[in-house]
Amino acid sequence: MEEEKVKAAEEEETWSKETVPKVIRIMSTRLSQRDIISLLLVSPWLHRTLVSYPSLWLVIDLREMNNAGNRLVAALSICLGSLQDLESLNLNGCQKISDKGIEIISSTCPELKVFSIYWNVRVTDIGIQHLVKNCKHIIDLNLSGCKNLLDKSLQLIADNYQELESLNLTRCVKLTDGGLQKILIKCSSLRSLNLYALSGFTDEAYKKISLLAHLKFLDLCGAQNLSDEGLACIAKCKNLVSLNLTWCVRITDVGVMAIAEGCSSLEFLSLFGIVGVTDKCLEVLSRFCSNTLTTLDVNGCVGIKRRSRDELLQLFPHLMCFKVHS
């Protein structure tokens, strides 16, 4: 009886050490990364097998996962060497991660290039301070919904990430013109800037968007203080292909015509809810952007009379999308 138990234990150990890793080697290329991270804690043999594939750990995506903190600890525990080359980390919706968590993550993953922590109200300027100290190569940063960040965070980002290409500050409601201007002056490589639902900025900051010569994507939805004068400065961004002006209520034909003349590569434009624009701006847009525009939302623009699909297609024959917002 005792011999049978020993034999069974030996067979189980052999199965765990040899058979399971072989299966995992095959399955690791087919499993989602979330499943792979969950397997880390199953057994030491699985752990060693998974660690032996560095290509699995270039990106970690934990967005909106239950117990994301524990899963992240599991991923970080793989060993320092395996995460030294991690380039992309998505913690969107992981609301329990604090500044201390950012410190641990950033010190473990110094080669991060893409970092996203959407909708985290626990992270403060201290967390950003840890990030810029430990991760020197960030080019894509999503801080959307991090409502407790102040201008100090933007100063830190501007001073340390001057090669930044993409920045999302959606609903970071405590930021001011002063902080945004630091970004616009120093981060001249930006190609994507998302300022969605930030009504506190003024033309003082918006005018400096003109410094971003490489900018292609700009979201200003809800920019209630943006005027035609500010928009005319933004029109100097000649490479702009996507512009969201939804609910930019101070804008009139003057500002939109400036965009038409300056941004002739425009593919996406939303004027949703702007009552101060008329058919006149569409005529100018057609003159300069008819060959490029594929998305145009003029719903709610009561001053524009030619708003039917057929009428818009006469002006913009390449249109495929007529409604961005519901």
Side-chain angles (χ1 to χ4, degrees):
M1 187 71 176
E2 190 64 33
E3 289 182 2
E4 290 180 0
K5 287 183 178 180
V6 171
K7 185 177 180 181
E10 288 176 349
E11 289 177 351
E12 182 177 351
E13 184 174 356
T14 299
W15 185 86
S16 297
K17 285 184 176 180
E18 299 179 8
T19 306
V20 171
K22 288 178 182 177
V23 173
I24 288 299
R25 285 191 187 97
I26 297 171
M27 294 301 297
S28 63
T29 58
R30 302 178 184 180
L31 291 173
S32 72
Q33 191 198 62
R34 296 185 179 202
D35 292 332
I36 292 173
I37 290 173
S38 298
L39 290 172
L40 285 173
L41 298 180
V42 171
S43 76
W45 299 287
L46 283 182
H47 188 280
R48 282 195 292 271
T49 301
L50 292 170
V51 168
S52 68
Y53 288 87
S55 60
L56 293 175
W57 310 110
L58 291 178
V59 176
I60 293 181
D61 184 354
L62 300 177
R63 64 182 185 273
E64 298 180 359
M65 289 183 69
N66 293 329
N67 300 316
N70 293 334
R71 294 170 188 264
L72 179 60
V73 170
L76 293 176
S77 72
I78 294 169
C79 79
L80 290 178
S82 295
L83 290 184
Q84 287 293 312
D85 295 326
L86 183 70
E87 294 182 354
S88 178
L89 179 58
N90 188 327
L91 298 176
N92 288 349
C94 302
Q95 298 181 12
K96 293 185 178 181
I97 293 176
S98 65
D99 291 332
K100 185 64 177 177
I102 300 298
E103 180 182 15
I104 295 170
I105 293 163
S106 60
S107 62
T108 305
C109 312
E111 298 300 318
L112 276 182
K113 294 181 180 179
V114 179
F115 184 60
S116 185
I117 192 164
Y118 163 82
W119 209 252
N120 184 312
V121 297
R122 298 185 68 187
V123 171
T124 70
D125 296 338
I126 295 172
I128 302 304
Q129 192 166 5
H130 291 311
L131 183 67
V132 301
K133 176 185 176 182
N134 297 318
C135 301
K136 305 295 186 181
H137 310 295
I138 298 288
I139 58 172
D140 187 327
L141 184 58
N142 184 355
L143 301 174
S144 173
C146 295
K147 295 183 177 182
N148 285 315
L149 297 184
L150 304 176
D151 284 344
K152 182 180 179 182
S153 287
L154 297 192
Q155 177 74 68
L156 289 165
I157 293 167
D159 289 342
N160 292 276
Y161 295 149
Q162 295 181 18
E163 299 302 314
L164 194 65
E165 295 180 5
S166 179
L167 178 62
N168 190 335
L169 298 174
T170 293
R171 291 194 173 93
C172 294
V173 293
K174 294 183 179 180
L175 304 179
T176 72
D177 280 348
L180 181 57
Q181 287 181 84
K182 298 287 196 310
I183 294 289
L184 300 175
I185 291 170
K186 291 194 173 183
C187 300
S188 58
S189 296
L190 276 172
R191 287 165 169 75
S192 176
L193 180 61
N194 196 326
L195 302 177
Y196 183 98
L198 293 172
S199 60
F201 296 136
T202 72
D203 276 352
E204 185 178 353
Y206 292 134
K207 288 179 180 179
K208 287 188 169 58
I209 292 176
S210 64
L211 299 174
L212 305 179
H214 305 288
L215 194 65
K216 291 190 172 183
F217 173 94
L218 179 61
D219 194 327
L220 295 173
C221 177
Q224 297 178 10
N225 297 317
L226 176 65
S227 73
D228 288 332
E229 186 178 356
L231 194 55
C233 291
I234 293 171
K236 296 176 183 177
C237 299
K238 305 294 185 184
N239 294 309
L240 208 59
V241 297
S242 178
L243 178 60
N244 187 358
L245 296 174
T246 296
W247 295 120
C248 293
V249 294
R250 294 183 60 193
I251 297 303
T252 71
D253 287 338
V254 174
V256 178
M257 289 189 292
I259 287 293
E261 295 177 15
C263 307
S264 57
S265 298
L266 210 57
E267 298 175 9
F268 175 107
L269 178 64
S270 176
L271 302 175
F272 182 94
I274 302 179
V275 298
V277 293
T278 70
D279 292 303
K280 184 178 180 181
C281 76
L282 289 192
E283 292 168 6
V284 178
L285 271 171
S286 177
R287 195 180 314 151
F288 290 95
C289 304
S290 63
N291 291 326
T292 58
L293 264 180
T294 57
T295 297
L296 177 64
D297 191 342
V298 293
N299 291 287
C301 300
V302 295
I304 295 177
K305 306 307 178 185
R306 300 172 64 185
R307 282 186 287 157
S308 72
R309 180 182 294 259
D310 290 340
E311 288 171 324
L312 290 174
L313 281 172
Q314 288 178 6
L315 294 169
F316 308 99
H318 300 288
L319 277 186
M320 294 183 289
C321 181
F322 302 82
K323 190 173 187 178
V324 178
H325 299 271
S326 58

